[in-house]
């Protein structure tokens, strides 16, 4: 009798195969007392036709009506099992729990009811091709080499607490029911050829990659989401230099009308915060694409700009929720109290300041408007320059002061003064800014005689360019603009044509 023993729920369990009727007193035992199924001596196993014994035991489980499962647990499979599981239909559940495959495993063109690979070790490559499986479980499984799944059809799919030390690829496959890629970890080398790839996949029901960790290049391409696909506290950690491709790529992602793709990080660990870059392109969204606690600064500029822009359209299908970092630097939210009839002046001044800041300071600057009401407009400035926030804020304040020095309002006169700089680009930038500021003052002035703008609104308007933590210091210019507007009452004349 085989000396194999294991502990199950604090009880010692003996070799199952030694207790099978037709094997009692016939099962082969190696020099260490282990049967041909539990023996670690691969040479001895192959010499004694391990594959033949394996075929017989599978037939026994299939033909015995009292057996509900094909019980293949705790077996050490040799390199010589050939195509034993190919081109067949298995009507009973197969349990490979706690087994070890020393050779390449290929499952091809077969029909399976349920397969359980809990706590299995695959030392060589694994290939699943053209399979139909009702239910498959990988739990506490270890792939020492690559696994490639192609042209297969699954119902329930569970991949839990699974470790990958080689490439992981699924292509041209359908997941019909719930699919869990949960707590999986890829621990590959840094070669871009050793990555994770999902290509041409239908996810027809709920699918999650919750708490998984990808230490490799990840590529999702031609993914069709019918219901929900969730990346929740998923870690993408590949940050090696990539001259051609991104660390993480989502290409041709199709979200059906009732579908939803979600990226949900956490306050402590924003999604994508550890990768070099993320690419989204050629997506088609009929349902919803949702982000929460996601680091958009790791997205490629085109991907980030397009996705953020998509949130601003009516009935937006892209939603950027709480905790997302969209820019390397951004000011606090700024609120300007001004009538909606004059809010276009705020937009005009913001754009003038952005253009001046970018060309004069050498750093890019943008503005994002968060909300507009009848009496209020809210926005913030941002920059994608990789600089400290202190440097960003200092440059904002310096540019704001220098910009307003370009014009002067005295009584009924507007005057300008170019900066002391011989660079043509600086002079042109200053000239363009002066023209814009003069235009703005004229527009404000034209409203004053008709009572269409108040002193308080002018003060708030001129604070548009002031960094949020700086105290307003524009009382003089406010009074000058008001005086200018009053004195030039007759200078704004409209002649009707015709």
């Amino acid at each position: 009798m085989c000396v194999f023993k294991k502990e199950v729920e604090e009880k010692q369990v003996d070799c199952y195969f030694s207790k099978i009727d037709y094997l009692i007193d016939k099962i082969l035992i190696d020099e260490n007392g282990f049967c041909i199924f539990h023996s670690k001596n691969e040479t001895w196993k192959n010499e004694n036709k391990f594959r033949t014994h394996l075929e017989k035991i599978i037939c026994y489980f299939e033909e015995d009506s009292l057996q509900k499962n094909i019980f293949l647990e705790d077996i050490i499979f040799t390199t010589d099992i050939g195509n034993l599981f190919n081109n067949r239909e298995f009507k009973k559940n197969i349990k490979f729990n706690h087994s070890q495959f020393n050779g390449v495993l290929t499952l091809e063109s077969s029909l399976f009811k349920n397969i359980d690979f809990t706590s299995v070790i695959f030392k060589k490559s694994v290939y699943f091709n053209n399979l139909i499986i009702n239910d498959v479980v990988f739990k506490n499984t270890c792939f020492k080499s690559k696994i490639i799944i192609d042209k297969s059809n699954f119902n329930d799919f569970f991949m839990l607490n699974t470790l990958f030390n080689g490439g992981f690829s699924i292509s041209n496959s359908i997941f019909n029911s719930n699919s869990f890629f949960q707590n999986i970890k890829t621990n590959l080398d840094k070669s871009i050829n050793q990555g994770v790839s999902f290509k041409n996949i239908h996810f027809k029901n709920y699918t999650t990659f919750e708490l998984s960790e990808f230490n490799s290049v990840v590529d999702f391409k031609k993914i069709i989401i019918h219901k929900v696909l969730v990346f929740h506290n998923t870690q993408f950690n590949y940050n090696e230099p990539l001259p051609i491709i991104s660390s993480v790529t989502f290409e041709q992602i199709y979200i059906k009308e009732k579908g939803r793709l979600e990226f949900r990080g956490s306050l402590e660990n924003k999604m994508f915060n550890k990768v070099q870059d993320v690419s989204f392109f050629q997506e088609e969204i009929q349902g919803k694409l949702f982000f929460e606690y996601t680091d958009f600064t790791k997205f490629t500029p085109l991907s980030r700009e397009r996705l953020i822009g998509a949130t601003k359209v009516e009935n937006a299908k892209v939603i950027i929720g709480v905790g997302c970092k969209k820019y390397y630097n951004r000011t606090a939210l700024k609120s300007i109290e001004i009538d909606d009839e004059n809010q276009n002046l705020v937009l005009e001044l913001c754009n003038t300041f952005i253009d001046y800041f970018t060309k004069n300071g050498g750093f890019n600057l943008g503005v994002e408007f968060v909300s507009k009401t009848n009496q209020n407009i809210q926005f913030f400035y941002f920059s994608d320059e990789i600089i400290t926030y202190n440097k960003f804020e200092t440059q904002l304040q310096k540019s704001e002061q220098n910009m307003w020095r370009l014009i002067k309002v005295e009584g009924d006169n507007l005057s300008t003064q170019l900066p002391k700089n011989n660079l043509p680009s600086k002079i042109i930038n200053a000239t363009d800014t002066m023209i814009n500021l003069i235009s703005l003052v004229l527009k404000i002035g034209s409203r004053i005689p008709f009572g269409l703008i108040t002193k308080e609104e002018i003060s708030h308007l001129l604070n548009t360019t002031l960094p949020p933590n700086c105290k307003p210091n524009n009382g003089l210019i406010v009074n000058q603009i008001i005086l200018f507007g009053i004195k030039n009452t007759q200078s704004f004349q409209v002649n009707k044509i015709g």
Side-chain angles (χ1 to χ4, degrees), residues 18-128:
S18 298
K19 298 176 183 179
I20 296 175
D21 291 342
Y22 91 93
L23 286 177
I24 292 177
D25 299 328
K26 297 179 183 178
I27 194 167
L28 297 179
I29 306 295
D30 70 8
E31 60 183 5
N32 295 313
F34 291 100
C35 71
I36 196 163
F37 299 108
H38 292 131
S39 174
K40 298 179 181 179
N41 189 334
E42 185 160 335
T43 301
W44 176 83
K45 288 163 78 92
N46 288 334
E47 288 175 352
N48 286 278
K49 300 180 179 179
F50 168 78
R51 188 182 187 281
T52 301
H53 289 281
L54 184 60
E55 282 185 284
K56 288 181 179 180
I57 201 71
I58 291 173
C59 289
Y60 162 77
F61 285 117
E62 285 184 317
E63 295 170 4
D64 189 338
S65 60
L66 298 178
Q67 300 290 339
K68 296 181 179 179
N69 303 308
I70 299 174
F71 186 86
L72 303 177
E73 292 188 359
D74 304 298
I75 293 178
I76 297 179
F77 292 87
T78 69
T79 56
D80 185 29
I81 60 173
N83 58 359
L84 186 58
F85 298 99
N86 297 344
N87 301 294
R88 296 179 63 172
E89 180 179 358
F90 294 91
K91 296 183 178 180
K92 293 184 178 181
N93 304 331
I94 302 180
K95 292 187 174 294
F96 288 105
N97 307 42
H98 303 280
S99 291
Q100 178 175 302
F101 289 86
N102 291 338
V104 174
L105 174 65
T106 300
L107 305 184
E108 186 171 9
S109 303
S110 291
L111 247 65
F112 293 92
K113 188 178 179 183
N114 300 329
I115 309 180
D116 194 340
F117 289 105
T118 297
S119 298
V120 170
I121 298 175
F122 297 96
K123 289 196 168 183
K124 300 293 183 180
S125 299
V126 178
Y127 299 95
F128 288 1

Side-chain angles (χ1 to χ4, degrees), residues 193-232:
N193 298 316
Q194 288 286 319
V196 175
S197 174
F198 286 78
K199 292 186 179 180
N200 195 21
I201 306 293
H202 281 263
F203 289 116
K204 291 196 169 182
N205 213 314
Y206 178 81
T207 304
T208 179
F209 285 84
E210 184 176 6
L211 297 172
S212 292
E213 183 178 336
F214 296 103
N215 299 298
S216 54
V217 173
V218 181
D219 186 13
F220 286 86
K221 184 176 182 179
K222 292 185 179 179
I223 306 298
I224 302 176
I225 302 166
H226 295 260
K227 286 195 176 179
V228 179
L229 173 58
V230 178
F231 292 88
H232 184 201

Side-chain angles (χ1 to χ4, degrees), residues 292-305:
E292 184 178 87
Y293 289 105
T294 299
D295 188 349
F296 278 88
T297 67
K298 297 304 178 73
F299 283 50
T300 60
L302 287 177
S303 297
R304 180 172 65 249
E305 182 179 345

Side-chain angles (χ1 to χ4, degrees), residues 88-94 107 110-117 128 130-138 152-158 174-180:
R88 296 179 63 172
E89 180 179 358
F90 294 91
K91 296 183 178 180
K92 293 184 178 181
N93 304 331
I94 302 180
L107 305 184
S110 291
L111 247 65
F112 293 92
K113 188 178 179 183
N114 300 329
I115 309 180
D116 194 340
F117 289 105
F128 288 1
N130 194 29
L131 302 180
I132 298 176
I133 305 178
N134 181 59
D135 184 352
V136 60
V137 176
F138 299 92
S152 294
N153 195 312
F154 305 94
N155 283 332
D156 290 324
F157 187 96
F158 297 88
I174 300 174
F175 294 83
N176 293 291
S177 191
N178 295 330
S179 302
F180 294 83

Side-chain angles (χ1 to χ4, degrees), residues 269-321:
N269 185 31
K270 286 183 169 59
M271 192 73 68
F272 304 119
N273 67 336
K274 296 180 181 178
V275 298
Q276 184 161 334
D277 54 9
V278 181
S279 292
F280 260 89
F281 54 99
Q282 293 184 302
E283 66 274 2
E284 183 179 307
I285 308 171
Q286 298 173 6
K288 296 291 183 183
L289 173 57
F290 180 83
F291 297 93
E292 184 178 87
Y293 289 105
T294 299
D295 188 349
F296 278 88
T297 67
K298 297 304 178 73
F299 283 50
T300 60
L302 287 177
S303 297
R304 180 172 65 249
E305 182 179 345
R306 194 179 66 257
L307 291 173
I308 292 175
T311 67
K312 300 175 183 178
V313 301
E314 188 175 356
N315 299 318
K317 299 181 185 300
V318 179
I319 301 168
I320 297 179

Side-chain angles (χ1 to χ4, degrees), residues 333-336 338-340 342-348 350-351 367-379:
L333 191 65
K334 194 174 184 71
S335 182
I336 300 295
I338 191 168
D339 186 272
D340 58 347
N342 294 313
Q343 287 182 6
N344 62 310
L345 300 177
V346 174
L347 274 63
E348 185 176 328
C350 281
N351 290 327
V367 63
E368 182 168 326
F369 293 95
V370 177
S371 69
K372 298 178 184 179
T373 67
N374 290 338
Q375 298 296 328
N376 183 279
I377 183 169
Q378 292 185 323
F379 61 94

